[in-house]
Amino acid sequence: MVSTAAPQVAPENLVIVGSGPAGYTAAIYAARANLSPLLITGFQAGGIAGGQLMTTTDVENFPGFPDGILGPDLMDRMRAQAVRWGTRLIEADADAIDLGQRPYRVTVEGQVIETQALILATGASANRLGLPHEQDFWSRGISACAICDGATPQFRNAELAVVGGGDSACEEAVYLTKYGSQVHLIVRRDALRASKAMADRVLANPAINVHWNQDLVDVAGGDWLETIQLRDTASGQEQTLAVKGLFYAIGHTPNTGLVAGQIELDSQGYLQVRSGRPETSVEGVFAAGDVADTEWRQGITAAGSGCQAALAAERWLTHHDLAITVSHNPVDPAPAGEPVRTAISDEANYDPSALWQKGGYALRKLYHDCDKPLLVVYSSPSCGPCHVLKPQLKRVLADFGGAAQGVEIDIETDQAIAEQAGVTGTPTVQLFFRKELKQQFKGVKQRSEFKAAIEALL
């Protein structure tokens, strides 16, 4: 009798869960050690692939970029470097991690992946305040990402507010002055926690009004946010500010839910490690980045910890004779090159059959002439979630082999189009079919949701 059992798949040397500076740096070092690491980037859970720098504008303190670099661009470069050296990516969320037996098991998209060693680089998620009416105005005036949503039409030439006193809050306040008429920075203490350079930049900006010793107690409005209510932390006196936008920059909570109850955490919920070391309480499991960093939480420290975790994992695998290394031919991989940006379509380069185009000209032509499902993606150049979502949408369209098309609208250059479409944040995706809006998606969604929506129209 011939056996039909599936062949045994050898465990991975190393799985890295999470991207960002920590995950990508760990992947670069592990790949250069010929470990052929598998990196699960994350997608929706606990933030987005690329980590918190995907929601940052100019990164001015990462060595090697004297003029600064956009956070999403920095992450794109790290990702490309990791892939160039042989890192394999799964662009999805890890659904479960089992540390109860070795090899360890990671479940992603219904597949169980066994691995000898594991690096947790799952980062941290932005906190919310839990105001009485917070949920009523979430994405209708309240946002946790000024960099993603600040350019939307509703916030232009309007009074806006940012809550927080650290570097992120100061950066977002400065960024929002490009769009709002006045920015109110709500600080609970009598001083900023931000670096001196960022604090000086805020205090010198006439478009930013700092409200010291203030608690945010609630929000109000109609269909859109209209006011916020503040309370003085000393006197208890309350005041109401009229604003159309409220942006949170109040810290983060470590993303350790996948391993809770299986690994030692500290009193704040961070992975417990020895000072300056990446080893966790479970042998062969290492920590990198903000998921184990209660103090520094910088891009450069996350990258450094990713390096440490990869080196420690390599040594551990070698010591236990578990590493199965790969060889590369040629030894030096081809250059990654610069990312190719989508050109703005005009009368000269417009292609009625192209899967993906950009700009108002392409949108008008496709809207009137296309008889296929049409995905319209509203994004902004500094929107990290847009960087994550657009490649996934292109994969969806490719899977349909030309049966559906897509067009990208930059809400900064095509502001009138975004306003007419009622866009309130990026990324926003609208699905049209024969000039009729069939469905709208806000934020990063799974590919399966877009596939199902398109399939229903075919």
Side-chain angles (χ1 to χ4, degrees):
M1 182 176 179
V2 178
S3 172
T4 58
Q8 284 289 104
V9 178
E12 299 285 343
N13 288 315
L14 174 64
V15 168
I16 303 165
V17 182
S19 43
Y24 285 141
T25 302
I28 291 166
Y29 273 80
R32 285 175 55 84
N34 290 343
L35 291 176
S36 185
L38 180 67
L39 188 147
I40 301 170
T41 65
F43 195 66
Q44 286 177 304
I48 60 172
Q52 294 175 44
L53 286 186
M54 294 296 282
T55 58
T56 303
T57 51
D58 293 315
V59 180
E60 299 174 322
N61 55 8
F62 202 95
F65 299 94
D67 297 320
I69 183 172
L70 286 176
D73 288 346
L74 178 59
M75 290 301 94
D76 285 349
R77 288 172 179 265
M78 286 192 181
R79 172 193 171 104
Q81 189 173 359
V83 170
R84 177 179 181 246
W85 285 102
T87 301
R88 293 163 296 135
L89 303 181
I90 297 180
E91 296 173 306
D93 291 319
D95 299 316
I97 295 177
D98 180 5
L99 303 180
Q101 58 182 323
R102 292 206 342 240
Y104 302 123
R105 297 184 175 188
V106 181
T107 303
V108 55
E109 293 189 321
Q111 176 187 5
V112 177
I113 300 167
E114 293 189 334
T115 182
Q116 303 288 9
L118 184 68
I119 292 177
L120 299 172
T122 48
S125 298
N127 292 335
R128 296 192 184 189
L129 285 169
L131 304 175
H133 294 92
E134 179 179 84
Q135 193 57 42
D136 296 340
F137 298 99
W138 198 262
S139 296
R140 293 194 296 119
I142 302 180
S143 168
C145 182
I147 311 306
C148 309
D149 299 336
T152 53
Q154 288 82 355
F155 298 134
R156 290 181 181 260
N157 302 312
E159 295 209 20
L160 309 173
V162 176
V163 181
D167 277 333
S168 295
C170 289
E171 179 191 8
E172 296 202 347
V174 171
Y175 173 79
L176 289 169
T177 59
K178 296 196 301 182
Y179 306 107
S181 60
Q182 181 77 27
V183 177
H184 301 275
L185 182 59
I186 314 301
V187 183
R188 196 174 190 279
R189 299 165 43 183
D190 60 359
L192 294 169
R193 293 181 291 103
S195 63
K196 294 298 183 184
M198 284 303 304
D200 290 346
R201 195 171 296 174
V202 164
L203 298 175
N205 194 319
I208 299 175
N209 183 15
V210 182
H211 299 259
W212 305 107
N213 302 307
Q214 297 292 321
D215 268 336
L216 179 60
V217 294
D218 206 0
V219 292
D223 292 334
W224 192 266
L225 177 70
E226 297 174 4
T227 63
I228 61 175
Q229 187 176 357
L230 305 179
R231 179 185 298 130
D232 190 284
T233 57
S235 67
Q237 183 177 353
E238 295 191 356
Q239 63 171 312
T240 299
L241 285 180
V243 299
K244 290 191 68 177
L246 172 62
F247 299 87
Y248 288 0
I250 52 172
H252 295 78
T253 298
N255 297 321
T256 53
L258 287 170
V259 292
Q262 304 182 77
I263 200 168
E264 189 174 341
L265 307 178
D266 69 11
S267 59
Q268 300 176 66
Y270 290 83
L271 291 178
Q272 183 71 59
V273 293
R274 295 203 333 263
S275 179
R277 298 292 308 178
E279 291 87 356
T280 69
S281 60
V282 178
E283 188 179 6
V285 179
F286 306 88
D290 287 5
V291 72
D293 184 354
T294 62
E295 184 173 359
W296 310 113
R297 294 189 290 269
Q298 300 295 307
I300 190 64
T301 55
S305 70
C307 166
Q308 291 177 321
L311 293 175
E314 179 193 4
R315 292 173 185 173
W316 184 85
L317 287 165
T318 302
H319 176 76
H320 291 279
D321 198 25
L322 294 172
I324 301 176
T325 57
V326 299
S327 58
H328 297 284
N329 186 18
V331 175
D332 292 324
E338 292 295 323
V340 178
R341 307 296 184 188
T342 303
I344 296 176
S345 296
D346 54 25
E347 189 173 359
N349 65 8
Y350 169 72
D351 181 355
S353 62
L355 288 184
W356 188 274
Q357 297 184 80
K358 184 176 182 179
Y361 182 87
L363 174 59
R364 287 188 291 271
K365 294 289 288 184
L366 289 169
Y367 178 81
H368 289 289
D369 301 339
C370 178
D371 61 355
K372 306 171 184 177
L374 176 63
L375 285 177
V376 183
V377 187
Y378 299 89
S379 66
S380 64
S382 58
C383 168
C386 302
H387 272 64
V388 172
L389 183 61
K390 284 186 287 186
Q392 305 306 314
L393 294 176
K394 292 175 184 178
R395 287 179 60 185
V396 169
L397 295 175
D399 288 345
F400 281 102
Q405 293 176 271
V407 61
E408 174 187 348
I409 296 297
D410 183 334
I411 68 170
E412 295 197 20
T413 57
D414 287 314
Q415 180 185 348
I417 295 175
E419 189 168 1
Q420 184 178 5
V423 173
T424 60
T426 58
T428 293
V429 180
Q430 294 178 337
L431 175 60
F432 289 90
F433 187 53
R434 295 170 181 166
K435 297 184 181 181
E436 183 179 348
L437 177 62
K438 293 296 186 179
Q439 203 163 339
Q440 178 167 281
F441 309 84
K442 292 185 177 182
V444 175
K445 306 296 181 185
Q446 297 285 355
R447 290 193 304 273
S448 58
E449 292 191 40
F450 298 105
K451 282 187 176 180
I454 293 172
E455 285 171 347
L457 301 175
L458 296 175

